Amino acid sequence: MEKGESSEETLPTVYGIMIAFLTCVVGYVLWPTIFGTVASDLNPKDGNSRRSLPQTPAGGVGGKGSGSAGTGSGMVNGSGTDHQDIRDGAAINTEHALVYRDGNLVSGSLEALVQHMVPTEEYYPDRAYLFAFLLSARLFIKPHELLGEVCALCEHQQNLNGEGGKERLQRFVPRLVQLLAEWTETFPYDFRDERVMSHVRSITQKVAAVDAAARQEVSALLQNLLLRLTALERYEEGLARLATEATTEQLAQVDITELCPSATVLAQQLTHVELERLSYIGPEEFVQAFAKESPHLETSFKDMKKTRNLESYIQWFNRLSYFVATEVCKHPKKKQRVRVIEYWIETARECFNIGNFNSLMAIIAGLNISPISRLKKTWSKVQLAKFSILEHQMDPSSNFSSYRSTLKAAMWRSAGATDERQRIVVPFFSLLVKDLYFLNEGCSNKLPNGHINFEKFWQLAKQVTEFIAWKQVACPFEKNPRVIAFLQARPVWTENALALASFECEPPDNNPEKERYKALKSELNAQ
């Protein structure tokens, strides 16, 4: 790596700077946005009026089968347990209870909520509930402990170790297999934990023993899980190799405008990178990221974090911003810098047209980094009309109201699209994380009576469900591996290297800049 260049791990955090900026700008203005949609939009009613999460492609929230099966409105999960199901207007001082308001589940003890997800021969939990609970339960109980409790309840209630009645067990077993299938499809990274897999092996062996017909389904379930986890492992290994690929080093001195002359094609290749990285982020990673920063939580998360895909995606945003700045600053001639800036503006416009808002914002951030923004003579020659429009679309004022309106339009277009190109929505990721962060911080996880605040988790699940739909879109554009490798592995300059190059492109024009330039040159000479 050249002197003054940086690997992905040591990049200055544009993202961190933007998060601090967003905190100041967005503040608690987010509350009307976050809570403007009532919990009932996601929270399913009881009985036949229950709603499911939006259907998604294979591996999404929907899974197979349908919501509840024959539950009575006065039962916790149709199993006839002693847990109470408290309806509107009733007292809520019972420890083991599920509490509803206007027909919506709003709180409950952890024990009752676990019981509510356990299937029986006549009952299957609503998909919306199952997703929301599996997403949020890790704040209170580790996945391997949760699966252990579910397996124990199933074995006890269905008498899997004894004579439970063949016909009844044959009705129950498909529901249990369905539960495992939906869990492995929606939260596959939980199963990188050997403690989770130990429970899976134990319960599936017992299931196969009581119902031979279930063996094929169990085998398919485990095979699909293996494929998902193998793909994840290969992806992670690929990221680790990116910075040392020899083919990329050979391209180190190539200009992006030479390697990919078309801004449209570059925007398409950026979208390939975005959608691939987005696709490997597990929905639970958002919750685990919040938990990591909350030491007061009841559960330790030190042994739960099995993936770093969310962090890798954040690093990609940082990298792209500094990549843009590097590609501008490396040109000593003003005319070349103007050409490169206009190329990136055109790329950003194409990203906007595609619906790739994360790359769009990263490019805008890169062009607004101080070493680039200070190049007044260069910017005086740039055609700024397109850039001004793009900056307006991503303007942080009024809680990013322009961007949020544009995002809603893109979501509407995506929902009704038959053309894969129209389905693409890559959100501005730091704002998505910030919305989820404020939602998490703004409401307590537990109520004064000790119940879990499930109203909060309906809202969290609703926003994460939208994310799942976005990350499952396949990129329809032709892939250029050479350009993609260049984008992800080309060494980029550090903040100090960019500042020094900027001063050499256009000399300092005030005392603070002169002092900075002098300090940077002294530091360089001392190395």
Side-chain angles (χ1 to χ4, degrees):
M1 188 174 294
E2 297 177 10
K3 189 174 182 180
E5 293 179 340
S6 171
S7 69
E8 189 167 307
E9 292 297 326
T10 58
L11 280 178
T13 55
V14 171
Y15 178 84
I17 295 169
M18 291 185 67
I19 281 293
F21 172 67
L22 286 171
T23 303
C24 297
V25 172
V26 179
Y28 287 93
V29 179
L30 277 173
W31 294 127
T33 303
I34 293 175
F35 293 108
T37 305
V38 295
S40 59
D41 285 348
L42 180 66
N43 191 348
K45 311 284 184 180
D46 269 335
N48 295 328
S49 63
R50 291 189 176 187
R51 305 177 193 172
S52 294
L53 287 173
Q55 292 292 331
T56 56
V61 174
K64 68 175 187 175
S66 57
S68 56
T71 56
S73 62
M75 303 181 72
V76 172
N77 71 348
S79 61
T81 67
D82 292 333
H83 294 303
Q84 297 186 39
D85 186 3
I86 299 179
R87 296 291 149 177
D88 303 356
I92 60 170
N93 58 357
T94 304
E95 181 181 354
H96 303 298
L98 295 179
V99 179
Y100 290 76
R101 184 184 303 119
D102 298 326
N104 297 319
L105 175 60
V106 295
S107 73
S109 66
L110 179 60
E111 182 180 359
L113 291 167
V114 172
Q115 180 71 67
H116 197 49
M117 73 169 283
V118 176
T120 71
E121 72 276 12
E122 296 179 345
Y123 166 82
Y124 189 80
D126 185 272
R127 292 177 191 167
Y129 171 76
L130 189 58
F131 176 74
F133 183 64
L134 287 174
L135 177 69
S136 59
R138 63 197 69 239
L139 291 171
F140 311 99
I141 182 172
K142 297 176 185 178
H144 75 276
E145 295 171 341
L146 175 60
L147 183 56
E149 290 195 16
V150 169
C151 291
L153 284 168
C154 288
E155 291 183 45
H156 174 70
Q157 292 172 187
Q158 303 301 326
N159 193 20
L160 292 181
N161 293 317
E163 293 297 325
K166 186 175 181 180
E167 290 185 4
R168 184 171 62 81
L169 286 176
Q170 286 178 339
R171 292 195 303 271
F172 164 73
V173 164
R175 288 185 165 86
L176 176 57
V177 173
Q178 179 181 344
L179 177 69
L180 292 174
E182 294 194 21
W183 192 337
T184 57
E185 288 173 359
T186 312
F187 300 96
Y189 303 162
D190 286 348
F191 297 83
R192 298 184 96 179
D193 189 335
E194 175 55 31
R195 296 168 298 182
V196 176
M197 288 306 301
S198 176
H199 289 304
V200 171
R201 285 191 291 270
S202 175
I203 195 68
T204 53
Q205 286 171 3
K206 291 174 182 177
V207 160
V210 300
D211 186 355
R215 289 177 184 172
Q216 188 172 354
E217 287 190 52
V218 169
S219 177
L221 180 159
L222 295 176
Q223 182 64 26
N224 289 336
L225 177 61
L226 177 61
L227 291 174
R228 295 281 293 279
L229 295 182
T230 301
L232 172 65
E233 186 174 350
R234 288 174 179 167
Y235 165 74
E236 291 174 339
E237 290 173 352
L239 288 182
R241 289 195 305 267
L242 275 174
T244 58
E245 286 187 351
T247 54
T248 302
E249 289 297 331
Q250 295 169 6
L251 295 173
Q253 301 305 317
V254 176
D255 190 273
I256 186 63
T257 60
E258 298 170 2
L259 182 64
C260 185
S262 169
T264 299
V265 172
L266 183 63
Q268 293 172 353
Q269 302 315 301
L270 286 169
T271 304
H272 267 292
V273 176
E274 296 281 359
L275 287 174
E276 180 185 45
R277 293 195 175 222
L278 206 64
S279 72
Y280 282 99
I281 298 175
E284 74 281 359
E285 291 192 62
F286 294 105
V287 174
Q288 291 179 188
F290 301 148
K292 185 179 176 183
E293 299 177 1
S294 303
H296 63 279
L297 286 173
E298 297 87 337
T299 304
S300 168
F301 290 82
K302 290 182 181 178
D303 63 343
M304 281 181 55
K305 196 74 171 75
K306 303 296 180 182
T307 57
R308 294 188 72 256
N309 302 307
L310 188 148
E311 291 89 341
S312 293
Y313 194 51
I314 290 170
Q315 289 169 357
W316 158 250
F317 183 96
N318 297 340
R319 173 184 170 76
L320 180 55
S321 295
Y322 275 81
F323 181 90
V324 170
T326 300
E327 290 296 303
V328 174
C329 273
K330 74 180 186 181
H331 292 289
K333 294 183 179 180
K334 179 173 64 176
K335 185 176 180 180
Q336 292 173 317
R337 294 195 299 274
V338 170
R339 176 178 56 83
V340 173
I341 288 175
E342 290 184 340
Y343 174 84
W344 280 113
I345 291 172
E346 185 62 26
T347 301
R349 189 176 75 91
E350 292 299 327
C351 287
F352 176 83
N353 292 337
I354 289 171
N356 179 359
F357 302 112
N358 201 56
S359 288
L360 165 63
M361 193 60 177
I363 293 170
I364 291 175
L367 293 176
N368 277 291
I369 291 175
S370 178
I372 307 301
S373 64
R374 66 165 294 277
L375 299 173
K376 296 182 177 65
K377 294 178 182 178
T378 302
W379 281 100
S380 68
K381 300 297 182 181
V382 173
Q383 299 295 322
L384 291 175
K386 293 178 182 178
F387 191 54
S388 297
I389 292 171
L390 294 173
E391 285 193 306
H392 173 72
Q393 289 290 340
M394 305 304 286
D395 185 352
S397 63
S398 301
N399 189 21
F400 284 88
S401 60
S402 294
Y403 162 72
R404 291 184 188 277
S405 297
T406 302
L407 179 64
K408 284 183 180 179
M411 291 168 62
W412 178 83
R413 177 194 67 186
S414 175
T418 54
D419 182 353
E420 285 293 311
R421 298 186 180 213
Q422 300 296 314
R423 295 188 60 222
I424 297 172
V425 178
V426 181
F428 172 29
F429 196 65
S430 65
L431 188 58
L432 170 64
V433 172
K434 182 59 68 174
D435 285 355
L436 292 172
Y437 178 81
F438 278 149
L439 173 57
N440 181 66
E441 290 296 305
C443 296
S444 61
N445 291 328
K446 284 193 173 183
L447 302 177
N449 66 351
H451 276 199
I452 290 174
N453 179 11
F454 215 76
E455 278 187 300
K456 169 181 176 176
F457 297 121
W458 284 127
Q459 284 291 341
L460 182 62
K462 179 181 184 298
Q463 294 198 33
V464 174
T465 299
E466 292 174 347
F467 162 79
I468 288 177
W470 297 332
K471 83 189 190 92
Q472 289 178 330
V473 175
C475 191
F477 306 116
E478 184 178 352
K479 197 171 187 177
N480 187 324
R482 203 158 174 259
V483 173
I484 289 174
F486 187 78
L487 288 168
Q488 296 189 96
R490 162 72 166 92
V492 298
W493 290 351
T494 63
E495 190 170 17
N496 284 346
L498 284 170
L500 185 60
S502 176
F503 290 135
E504 290 173 350
C505 288
E506 294 187 17
D509 60 2
N510 56 54
N511 286 331
E513 286 192 347
K514 290 175 182 178
E515 290 298 321
R516 178 84 194 282
Y517 185 35
K518 183 178 179 181
L520 288 170
K521 288 181 72 175
S522 298
E523 182 181 327
L524 181 63
N525 292 331
Q527 291 178 352

